[in-house]
Amino acid sequence: MISMFEPDAKGHFGNYGGRFVPETLMAPLQELETAYRHFQRSPEMQGAFRSALAHYVGRPSPLYEARRLSEYAGGARILLKREDLLHTGAHKINNAVGQALLAKSMGKTRLIAETGAGQHGVATSTVAAWLGMECCIFMGTRDIERQKVNVYRMRLLGAQVIPVTSGSATLKDAMNEAMRDWVTQIDHTYYLVGTVAGPHPYPEMVRNFQSVIGEEVRDQSQIMPLGHPDAMVACIGGGSNAIGLFYPFLETKAVALYGVEAAGEGIESQRHAASIAMGRSGVLHGNRTYLLQTEGGQIIETHSISAGLDYPGVGPEHAWLHDVGRVHYVSIDDEEALASFHRLTRLEGIMPALESAHALAYAERLAADMAPHQTLVVNLSGRGDKDITTVSTREGLEL
Amino acid sequence: MNRITKRLQETRSAGRAALVPYLMAGDPGIASTARAMHALVEGGADLIELGMPFSDPIADGPVIQAAAGRALSRGVSLDTVLDILVEFRIHDSSTPVLLMGYLNPIEQMGWRRFVDASVDAGADGLLLVDLPPEEAEEMYPYMQNCDLLPISLVAPTTDENRLRLIAGVARGFIYYIAVKGITGAAHDFDMNQLQSRIEWIRRHVDIPIGIGFGVRNADIAAQCARVADLVIVGSALVELLASQKDETVVLQTAQNWISELSLVMGRE
């Protein structure tokens, strides 16, 4: 559809992406690619996906003008793309529904996934229940500890949650363990990757499933003075909500695009998750991208108040969009995100996920430098209920 | 002639399979790795596979993951791995050594620099688990020019088209992954199936074929030796090497175990 922004036949976005996996996974990835190309061309499969988005997920999601927040920021009109209103409370469900339909069409009976904050785990458990498939979620023991409610949600949905104790016991290790499980049970298992990372075709496929976000914004912004927003902001862990919003606008150069990484305790602190700002190109989890790593190429532990952004890499397409300068990558620390979490809750009665609060924090700053007739769209990628324990603990309250 | 090629010609002439133990550089300790390598050769190892630790080893089971973690916590870097090899070469210039690891640390060093340094240190082959031939179009020819053999994997999932592609670039020997799974997997070997896969590979390549992943005891090793040209033992040995504190005892135990494998695999 937009040729300049498509990967090459081997899944490379510029120098990034590709397929760096053990030989055992090469043929299954080719099989997946073939099945996905069929899915893309099949009116029947596309129809099933669109219908599920409308009737199961609850799309389209509103584009809501946050007047009190705009007034507070003092500049551009801020509009929120309300992915938090979707079934299960975050954008993750768009991709989960798409890939689950694909998995079913391939004759797979078991879904596996990695999860950090638990949102992708919940989305995958949900679609597994919806389609009557077996489900196994890999989650680091440290994340299990800080996201107990989501762990219970997954179990209620019938998923088996497998604690991962290897390495740093967080999202990257859960992804390692999911890949190991996939290799072992490849015949009937489908690996439902939650973000725009991993070996080809995952980054392209997940982007395409998520690009419904940006397509809706394009339709919803027809009434704006320019027919599109002046700027858009989204948070970046792996980067699926951001690419979903940005992709349909990549060729519309008049739209300024901002991806917000997690600066954790500060970008100079060593305790952050800002892979583009502070990382170097390398190979992890099947693709080449920007990674937080030691000089010797060992992957390092990251930190963010938001478990969903706590990942040492970033989707390869983002790495490339950074290099070519189409998207500006910036960062927001824990304190700034937390302040925006409270601000949106109090000013608009909308409690954002801590991930999305990173995007909001940057948007407030950006809006202040823009004119009142200009518009700025923020991807409110998820709702904040899952984070209230993190917030209360941080503020010294035991619930 | 490359030491791997030469050694495999010798074992083939002797009518037996080569025994290839894997150990992780820096485990049980940095200073003891070269001594462990000598002990394995003493026990009957024909070729040694030296693991290079990586923080996120997706093809490895818990035993090798843990060994990599211990090695990294001891500060093992690629330079350390090559220092160990140099130390080994002081007393052993004939046993082939194959380096095995993951791509990222090598990219960070600069892969040309790494290939050159490996050859200088006395390495004979390199196996990068997460580097399929599709992504190695520049690296493999460079390695061949330096006489560092690019060792390629074939898996139970590999189809005919991929096997042709791999056959075109593989040098030294083909490493056949015996199982859909990770290193150290406990599974039942279906020898008939394994044999027919090996025969299928032989129709496409004229270099020797090794079997690895899950060869955890003498009985399995002996069976694999009847159908393949090399038998690779990893996790079982790594576990053994990590099982005791006393270095002399550990190395002797490892050597004895390798001798036992070597005997059942038909060495005279």
Side-chain angles (χ1 to χ4, degrees):
Chain A
M1 129 189 200
I2 305 178
S3 60
M4 184 195 156
F5 293 101
E6 296 305 322
D8 72 12
K10 291 179 182 175
H12 298 116
F13 297 90
N15 287 328
Y16 306 103
R19 192 177 272 169
F20 296 90
V21 294
E23 175 58 26
T24 315
L25 290 179
M26 289 301 286
L29 284 166
Q30 284 174 343
E31 180 198 346
L32 172 63
E33 190 183 352
T34 305
Y36 177 60
R37 297 298 172 218
H38 173 75
F39 188 98
Q40 280 182 300
R41 286 189 307 266
S42 157
E44 194 185 323
M45 297 303 300
Q46 289 297 317
F49 177 52
R50 294 287 154 183
S51 166
L53 288 182
H55 304 292
Y56 188 66
V57 173
R59 302 207 71 95
S61 68
L63 185 64
Y64 163 78
E65 180 160 6
R67 290 180 202 276
R68 296 191 68 208
L69 182 70
S70 306
E71 199 179 311
Y72 168 84
R77 293 163 58 194
I78 299 175
L79 294 98
L80 307 178
K81 181 57 175 167
R82 297 292 308 275
E83 296 296 291
D84 62 314
L85 292 177
L86 303 180
H87 181 38
T88 71
H91 74 288
K92 293 287 184 190
I93 192 77
N94 303 322
N95 167 54
V97 160
Q99 286 198 59
L101 288 170
L102 174 62
K104 192 96 178 170
S105 77
M106 292 170 74
K108 305 289 181 183
T109 56
R110 177 173 178 262
L111 298 179
I112 60 169
E114 81 292 341
T115 198
Q119 290 305 99
H120 177 56
V122 167
T124 304
S125 307
T126 298
V127 295
W130 173 57
L131 293 178
M133 299 171 85
E134 195 187 330
C135 185
C136 232
I137 305 295
F138 294 87
M139 191 167 183
T141 47
R142 274 171 53 189
D143 289 332
I144 287 179
E145 195 50 45
R146 53 181 172 177
Q147 299 287 342
K148 284 178 186 155
V149 174
N150 269 346
V151 173
Y152 188 54
R153 281 171 84 189
M154 290 183 257
R155 289 188 173 135
L156 286 174
L157 287 158
Q160 190 187 355
V161 180
I162 299 184
V164 175
T165 55
S166 60
S168 58
T170 58
L171 180 57
K172 83 171 173 76
D173 308 287
M175 202 154 175
N176 291 339
E177 215 50 46
M179 291 182 95
R180 291 181 187 120
D181 177 283
W182 193 32
V183 170
T184 308
Q185 314 207 42
I186 210 135
D187 296 329
H188 65 291
T189 294
Y190 181 96
Y191 181 15
L192 206 159
V193 174
T195 191
V196 285
H200 180 60
Y202 283 106
E204 179 195 344
M205 178 169 71
V206 176
R207 174 199 71 191
N208 292 347
F209 284 134
Q210 290 293 4
S211 63
V212 62
I213 303 171
E215 285 161 15
E216 286 176 7
V217 169
R218 205 176 45 200
D219 294 342
Q220 290 163 329
S221 55
Q222 294 300 321
I223 53 161
M224 292 176 185
L226 296 173
H228 59 70
D230 294 276
M232 307 207 294
V233 183
C235 64
I236 310 256
S240 71
N241 89 80
I243 206 77
L245 177 65
F246 297 165
Y247 178 63
F249 292 91
L250 288 177
E251 293 219 322
T252 312
K253 298 284 165 61
V255 183
L257 304 173
Y258 297 87
V260 185
E261 298 191 297
E265 293 175 5
I267 206 107
E268 305 297 339
S269 71
Q270 309 283 325
R271 286 183 45 82
H272 58 78
S275 327
I276 292 180
M278 304 300 281
R280 291 195 317 279
S281 171
V283 172
L284 178 72
H285 293 150
N287 60 167
R288 181 177 284 121
T289 188
Y290 281 101
L291 299 173
L292 292 171
Q293 53 182 317
T294 65
E295 200 186 327
Q298 308 297 338
I299 309 306
I300 56 182
E301 284 186 39
T302 53
H303 166 80
S304 168
I305 189 172
S306 130
L309 303 183
D310 208 349
Y311 179 69
V314 64
E317 190 167 3
H318 286 294
W320 183 62
L321 290 170
H322 168 72
D323 282 11
V324 300
R326 177 63 189 98
V327 178
H328 308 283
Y329 293 89
V330 296
S331 54
I332 284 291
D333 68 24
D334 289 351
E335 292 299 331
E336 295 167 313
L338 208 53
S340 285
F341 169 90
H342 285 299
R343 202 139 45 228
L344 192 72
T345 305
R346 290 300 184 90
L347 288 177
E348 299 286 350
I350 298 171
M351 195 179 292
L354 285 173
E355 288 80 7
S356 320
H358 286 73
L360 284 163
Y362 189 77
E364 291 171 19
R365 208 188 284 170
L366 186 63
D369 292 333
M370 293 168 67
H373 68 273
Q374 292 188 296
T375 52
L376 191 169
V377 170
V378 184
N379 201 357
L380 197 66
S381 54
R383 68 177 184 223
D385 313 43
K386 70 180 174 60
D387 292 318
I388 56 174
T389 318
T390 305
V391 173
S392 71
T393 307
R394 180 99 177 186
E395 293 172 354
L397 288 172
E398 277 302 322
L399 296 185
Chain B
M1 185 188 285
N2 182 285
R3 275 180 286 244
I4 293 176
T5 312
K6 183 164 180 285
R7 179 58 53 90
L8 293 178
Q9 281 177 2
E10 290 162 6
T11 50
R12 180 171 279 189
S13 307
R16 64 181 181 85
L19 174 57
V20 186
Y22 167 102
L23 79 170
M24 176 65 73
D27 192 63
I30 294 173
S32 53
T33 306
R35 289 195 288 273
M37 291 165 76
H38 291 305
L40 298 174
V41 172
E42 199 62 33
D46 294 294
L47 191 159
I48 286 180
E49 199 176 325
L50 187 60
M52 302 179 283
F54 181 49
S55 54
D56 296 81
I58 55 169
D60 287 303
V63 170
I64 293 181
Q65 284 173 46
R70 288 190 298 268
L72 290 174
S73 68
R74 292 181 186 116
V76 173
S77 65
L78 291 181
D79 287 327
T80 321
V81 176
L82 297 182
D83 287 347
I84 288 169
L85 182 51
V86 168
E87 194 191 335
F88 173 74
R89 282 283 175 240
I90 295 172
H91 299 293
D92 188 332
S93 56
S94 62
T95 306
V97 174
L98 163 64
L99 299 173
M100 179 171 184
Y102 293 79
L103 179 59
N104 194 52
I106 280 141
E107 263 202 16
Q108 300 312 312
M109 186 181 205
W111 59 260
R112 285 183 183 81
R113 211 182 119 208
F114 175 77
V115 169
D116 295 348
S118 305
V119 173
D120 287 347
D124 306 291
L126 176 63
L127 170 51
L128 294 176
V129 183
D130 55 352
L131 182 68
E134 285 91 335
E135 298 284 358
E137 284 169 351
E138 278 185 72
M139 192 166 167
Y140 278 6
Y142 185 85
M143 285 168 61
Q144 279 177 46
N145 280 339
C146 302
D147 203 26
L148 187 70
L149 303 181
I151 307 299
S152 296
L153 297 164
V154 171
T157 49
T158 303
D159 59 21
E160 185 112 1
N161 282 336
R162 288 199 57 74
L163 183 58
R164 284 205 194 92
L165 173 76
I166 294 164
V169 297
R171 296 292 182 275
F173 68 94
I174 291 282
Y175 188 130
Y176 183 67
I177 300 172
V179 55
K180 287 180 188 170
I182 52 182
T183 55
H187 60 102
D188 297 323
F189 269 83
D190 179 340
M191 288 316 290
N192 289 333
Q193 203 180 17
L194 191 58
Q195 185 166 4
S196 67
R197 278 298 275 188
I198 300 291
E199 282 165 8
W200 170 72
I201 298 169
R202 282 199 203 285
R203 289 199 290 275
H204 293 85
V205 302
D206 54 7
I207 55 177
I209 301 168
I211 296 178
F213 281 47
V215 183
R216 62 186 180 280
N217 59 42
D219 182 43
I220 297 172
Q223 292 185 61
C224 290
R226 283 196 279 276
V227 296
D229 307 301
L230 303 88
V231 177
I232 302 141
V233 290
S235 296
L237 177 64
V238 169
E239 196 160 30
L240 197 155
L241 285 170
S243 63
Q244 297 180 52
K245 288 257 182 285
D246 186 303
E247 186 192 305
T248 318
V249 177
V250 160
L251 298 195
Q252 190 59 52
T253 315
Q255 182 177 328
N256 293 347
W257 190 65
I258 291 297
S259 306
E260 187 194 335
L261 294 192
S262 180
L263 267 178
V264 299
M265 282 170 53
R267 185 187 281 246
E268 294 303 314

